[in-house]
Amino acid sequence: MNAAAVRHILDTIAAMFPDAHCELNHSNAFELTIAVLLSAQCTDATVNKVTVDLFKKYKTPEDYISVPLEELEQDIRRIGLFRSKAKHIHNLCQILIHQYDGEVPNEHSELVKLPGVGRKTANVVVSNAFGVPAIAVDTHVERVSKRLGLAGWNDSVLEVEKKLMKRIPQEEWTQTHHRLIFFGRYHCKAQNPNCEVCPLLDVCREGKKRMKRSQVSKDRS
C-alpha cells in the first residue's frame, strides 16, 4: 500500500470520528492501568459500569491490597475472568508499592513487567496517561487494519502494530489508534459492517467481497 492510499484512509476515518478517544473512564494513570487490565476480553462499557464503584472504594495500590483477594473478586465479578484479574491487580499493586513508590511507571519496558499488563495495555497507558505516541492493537484495530489492507490477513498482532507504526506518521499514532477503534466499534463491525455506506469501500478487500456476495444473492432472488 502506497503513502497516498494510507493518507486517504487516515483522512477518511479522521473525518468520520474526529473526536475519537479512550472510552475507559479514568482520572489518572493508575486507574487507567486497572481499567485496561480489566478490559481484556470484556467491553469498555462493562468495565466502566464496574469501575464507577471500584474507583470510589480503591484510590491507591495500598487500598487494593488492604482487602482480602476474595473481596476484590466480588467487586469485579461482573467482569469476565474476574478471579485471575483480581489476582493480577493484587500482585500489580504489591509491585507498584515495593518497586515504584506506588506510582505507575511511564516507560513501556517497565509497564510490561507488571502482572496482567501486556504490550497492548502498556501502549494504551503510555499514550493516554503519559503522552507517548503508541498504537495499541486490540481486536477492532486488528480487524480494521486487515480489512483495509494496512496489514496482512495472517499477520500477528505484533506484526500489525509494526506495519501501522511504519505507515502512519508517529505524531498521529495515538489519535489513529482511537479512530481505528471507533471505526471498528461503530462502523466496521465484526459481524455486520456498514459496507453499503462506507466511504472506504473502494479500498476495502473485505467490503468488496461482502458487497459482491450481497449482489449475487439479490440477483438470485
Side-chain angles (χ1 to χ4, degrees):
M1 178 174 289
N2 60 40
V6 173
R7 190 69 261 165
H8 170 59
I9 291 173
L10 297 182
D11 290 344
T12 300
I13 64 172
M16 293 176 70
F17 301 102
D19 301 317
H21 59 278
C22 177
E23 292 192 297
L24 289 170
N25 295 333
H26 65 281
S27 59
N28 54 55
F30 179 56
E31 288 186 353
L32 178 60
T33 303
I34 298 297
V36 182
L37 188 157
L38 292 174
S39 71
Q41 299 182 43
C42 182
T43 66
D44 287 0
T46 299
V47 173
N48 287 336
K49 290 178 183 178
V50 171
T51 56
V52 166
D53 294 322
L54 192 73
F55 291 162
K56 290 178 182 177
K57 180 176 180 179
Y58 304 99
K59 302 289 188 182
T60 66
E62 288 82 2
D63 291 338
Y64 282 95
I65 65 171
S66 69
V67 302
L69 183 60
E70 293 75 17
E71 183 175 340
L72 178 57
E73 289 178 353
Q74 290 305 307
D75 290 334
I76 65 171
R77 65 175 295 107
R78 285 184 289 171
I79 288 179
L81 306 173
F82 68 92
R83 287 192 176 88
S84 63
K85 290 177 181 179
K87 186 175 181 180
H88 283 322
I89 291 172
H90 254 217
N91 293 336
L92 179 150
C93 289
Q94 291 276 10
I95 293 174
L96 290 183
I97 292 168
H98 294 111
Q99 296 184 25
Y100 299 99
D101 296 321
E103 300 292 332
V104 173
N106 59 10
E107 294 183 8
H108 191 280
S109 60
E110 296 299 313
L111 282 165
V112 294
K113 296 177 183 178
L114 299 173
V117 178
R119 185 175 183 86
K120 185 200 79 172
T121 299
N123 281 341
V124 172
V125 173
V126 296
S127 60
N128 288 281
F130 301 115
V132 178
I135 297 178
V137 180
D138 70 349
T139 180
H140 298 298
V141 174
E142 180 180 9
R143 179 178 69 255
V144 169
S145 296
K146 290 181 177 181
R147 284 179 174 176
L148 294 177
L150 292 168
W153 289 118
N154 298 318
D155 285 348
S156 66
V157 171
L158 180 57
E159 288 171 332
V160 172
E161 180 185 336
K162 288 181 177 179
K163 287 186 177 179
L164 291 177
M165 290 170 66
K166 183 177 180 180
R167 289 172 169 159
I168 299 168
Q170 185 173 356
E171 64 274 14
E172 297 180 43
W173 285 356
T174 298
Q175 194 59 58
T176 297
H177 153 73
H178 293 311
R179 287 169 178 163
L180 287 173
I181 289 178
F182 270 53
F183 185 78
R185 182 175 288 161
Y186 301 113
H187 179 80
C188 189
K189 302 173 184 178
Q191 298 302 323
N192 296 298
N194 297 323
C195 299
E196 64 279 1
V197 295
C198 184
L200 288 174
L201 181 62
D202 60 323
V203 296
C204 180
R205 301 177 291 181
E206 176 78 7
K208 290 177 181 177
K209 290 179 181 179
R210 284 176 177 271
M211 294 303 291
K212 187 175 182 179
R213 288 197 297 266
S214 176
Q215 187 59 50
V216 170
S217 297
K218 290 179 180 178
D219 291 342
R220 288 176 177 173
S221 61

